[in-house]
Amino acid sequence: MSNQLPRFKSARESGYLLCIDCEKLHPLSLEGEHCDRCGARLHSRVPNSMNLSWASLIAAVLLFLPANLLPIMTFKSFGQGEPSTILSGIIHLLDQDMLLIGLIVLIASIVVPVLKIIAMTILLCTVQFRLQTNLRQKTLMFRIVEWIGRWSMLDVFVIGILVALVQLGNIAHIEGNDGATAFAVVVLLTMFSAIVFDTRLIWDNGVTDSPANDDQKDTQ
Amino acid sequence: MHGTPEQLIACHECDLLMERVSNHPNEDVICPRCHARIYYTTVNSIERLLALSIAGLILFIPANIFPILSLQVFGQSQSEIIFQSALSLFDGGLVLVALLILLFAIVVPLFQLVILFYISFSLHYHRTGRLLRQAMHGYQHLRGWGMLEIFLLGVLISIIKLKDIADLDIGLGLYSLAALIVVTTLSSVFFNPHQIWHEIDLNRQKARTNE
Ligand SMILES: [Zn+2]
Ligand SMILES: [Zn+2]
């Protein structure tokens, strides 16, 4: 398919730009105009992608500690009860031998956000410092992170469901706390950081990454 | 570079420019550089989406009006519908979290079904569909923000958390929700933006020649 082309060449290098909304190819001279098929504004790269992505990632990192230290909900029964944080909720589940559920909540609430923050940092540094290694693996990492990130909303839904259901006055009731808001914002910010990140930037510096080079590597 | 823009295509993930090739149904065209799926063919995409969006809109009603769970402790009982999980947080002062649950578990899934119905209905019956562009943008930007399956997992976790302290009953709403998730998941599989934009082009050309 690409054999006829001399080497991997991006649309931008060849004088084209792709409408990201409807995937129609336009001449590069239409930058800033509207796509004649879908009406979206045409940009060869998402404008301000790096700044917006960095800003939301840093904001997510700053909010990550309060999200994990503040209580997310309080269970009260006959006047007694104490607030729980994300981590204490997970430990409580593990203590009660609910291993599988404890692990699911641990992965969704802590492992995934941490991995997502690390992955986005690696991707942003790749573009920022023009790194050229393992680009294919990094693209794959981005796809996984983008797909899995939304599952971090799990604990937020659990809080909503429990608060709505356990409203039995003095016998038992559950209320939500501010940690839940901080946590939801962290998840939103990491999702936003991935959405505004333009994956094409990763490949823009990979000038040496051509099929010709691959062939040489193979024969050596 | 040879060829006109019609014979060329670029990868949306790495911007690699390549020549368009014809593909068989069920055969994906993969980007040789980043391995993204460039385009593919979905058989009967429009008809399937029309059927699925109607089924989804019907299922949306019982999923939202019947209780998903009810709980009994000391003779007292409490049941909840999806909307109440947002409402109770709103009453408790967690406005932002309440709003997010309302959006991700109710508003976005409903919007996606309505938009999908509009797109597939307009294309199947060759209507002009003045809002087709906006509908396509809407659907594509809402992708990933409908979180019914995560909500369902949240319900299952809540059941396990509460099972030792109270008696729980699963309501009709939860079964409808599970069926609705099957429908929305299938419709996101059959939603082939590349192909639908092409259909919209054809639809528009037909409308123009009829004028
Ligand atoms: Zn377009
Ligand atoms: Zn690619």
Side-chain angles (χ1 to χ4, degrees):
Chain A
M1 184 195 320
S2 62
N3 294 346
Q4 295 120 322
L5 303 179
R7 67 177 187 83
F8 281 157
K9 212 170 178 187
S10 74
R12 183 158 73 172
E13 285 176 297
S14 318
Y16 292 105
L17 68 79
L18 186 74
C19 172
I20 202 73
D21 280 76
C22 73
E23 301 195 0
K24 181 174 177 174
L25 204 60
H26 296 274
L28 195 55
S29 56
L30 288 180
E31 171 85 33
E33 306 280 322
H34 291 278
C35 173
D36 61 353
R37 177 155 80 173
C38 76
R41 203 171 269 278
L42 295 170
H43 293 289
S44 119
R45 298 293 178 269
V46 176
N48 254 327
S49 163
M50 289 296 284
N51 288 339
L52 290 172
S53 191
W54 268 124
S56 9
L57 186 68
I58 291 167
V61 172
L62 293 178
L63 262 176
F64 190 72
L65 268 189
N68 278 282
L69 295 177
L70 290 173
I72 50 166
M73 61 178 157
T74 311
F75 176 77
K76 278 189 182 148
S77 182
F78 297 110
Q80 284 192 318
E82 56 187 67
S84 63
T85 61
I86 288 175
L87 202 58
S88 75
I90 295 167
I91 292 169
H92 185 72
L93 283 172
L94 295 179
D95 274 349
Q96 290 186 314
D97 284 333
M98 299 189 206
L99 200 62
L100 183 67
I101 296 300
L103 278 180
I104 292 174
V105 180
L106 176 70
I107 290 170
S109 301
I110 297 183
V111 177
V112 166
V114 169
L115 282 183
K116 190 160 183 186
I117 286 169
I118 294 172
M120 283 313 296
T121 311
I122 293 173
L123 291 165
L124 285 164
C125 284
T126 301
V127 177
Q128 198 80 55
F129 304 115
R130 298 169 178 276
L131 307 178
Q132 291 186 16
T133 50
N134 304 324
L135 296 184
R136 197 171 278 160
Q137 285 86 336
K138 283 171 183 167
T139 312
L140 182 66
M141 180 174 77
F142 178 81
R143 281 177 209 143
I144 295 169
V145 151
E146 202 190 21
W147 180 81
I148 214 168
R150 46 205 284 282
W151 286 88
S152 300
M153 287 300 288
L154 181 65
D155 239 7
V156 175
F157 288 132
V158 171
I159 297 166
I161 294 157
L162 289 179
V163 171
L165 198 57
V166 188
Q167 290 294 345
L168 301 168
N170 199 30
I171 301 173
H173 87 116
I174 297 180
E175 58 184 36
N177 298 117
D178 288 334
T181 305
F183 183 75
V185 173
V186 169
V187 179
L188 278 188
L189 284 168
T190 56
M191 285 178 77
F192 187 70
S193 176
I195 285 173
V196 293
F197 181 73
D198 191 338
T199 48
R200 295 172 294 189
L201 295 171
I202 303 176
W203 298 89
D204 279 349
N205 303 313
V207 188
T208 55
D209 189 1
S210 68
N213 284 5
D214 281 353
D215 293 345
Q216 279 164 15
K217 269 178 226 156
D218 288 343
T219 49
Q220 272 164 11
Chain B
M1 181 55 60
H2 34 77
T4 62
E6 282 72 35
Q7 292 163 327
L8 294 167
I9 181 75
C11 170
H12 57 279
E13 285 202 43
C14 74
D15 209 32
L16 176 70
L17 192 67
M18 59 204 114
E19 275 169 54
R20 189 185 282 276
V21 290
S22 57
N23 62 314
H24 300 289
N26 304 321
E27 188 187 56
D28 297 350
V29 177
I30 304 286
C31 170
R33 184 161 73 168
C34 77
H35 295 179
R37 188 162 65 161
I38 311 285
Y39 55 90
Y40 54 101
T41 311
T42 310
V43 183
N44 294 334
S45 161
I46 303 295
E47 289 75 14
R48 287 177 180 179
L49 289 177
L50 185 58
L52 284 168
S53 60
I54 293 170
L57 286 168
I58 293 169
L59 281 168
F60 189 85
I61 300 164
N64 277 280
I65 61 170
F66 291 118
I68 46 174
L69 279 181
S70 45
L71 149 157
Q72 281 99 30
V73 192
F74 298 122
Q76 283 206 46
S77 79
Q78 175 98 30
S79 61
E80 96 169 288
I81 60 169
I82 299 176
F83 180 66
Q84 276 162 332
S85 52
L87 191 66
S88 60
L89 286 176
F90 188 83
D91 289 339
L94 296 182
V95 178
L96 181 76
V97 185
L99 205 68
L100 292 180
I101 294 182
L102 184 69
L103 283 175
F104 298 160
I106 300 175
V107 178
V108 171
L110 177 62
F111 258 67
Q112 285 181 307
L113 288 170
V114 171
I115 290 173
L116 215 52
F117 175 75
Y118 178 78
I119 294 172
S120 50
F121 183 86
S122 306
L123 291 177
H124 189 258
Y125 293 103
H126 304 291
R127 298 293 169 97
T128 342
R130 288 175 198 286
L131 295 172
L132 272 175
R133 278 179 169 188
Q134 287 84 342
M136 284 297 285
H137 288 309
Y139 190 82
Q140 279 171 290
H141 288 281
L142 288 177
R143 273 193 146 178
W145 294 102
M147 301 190 185
L148 289 177
E149 69 279 26
I150 306 172
F151 187 90
L152 181 68
L153 184 60
V155 175
L156 300 180
I157 285 176
S158 306
I159 292 173
I160 293 168
K161 276 192 169 190
L162 292 173
K163 75 176 191 326
D164 288 340
I165 52 172
D167 289 325
L168 287 160
D169 285 322
I170 292 172
L172 188 56
L174 196 65
Y175 297 113
S176 316
L177 177 67
L180 180 58
I181 290 168
V182 173
V183 168
T184 53
T185 308
L186 280 177
S187 59
S188 72
V189 171
F190 293 135
F191 186 85
N192 182 340
H194 203 95
Q195 200 170 307
I196 295 176
W197 277 115
H198 184 66
E199 298 268 351
I200 291 176
D201 274 351
L202 294 178
N203 198 33
R204 217 175 274 164
Q205 279 164 14
K206 235 175 249 168
R208 220 169 286 155
T209 47
N210 286 348
E211 269 169 19

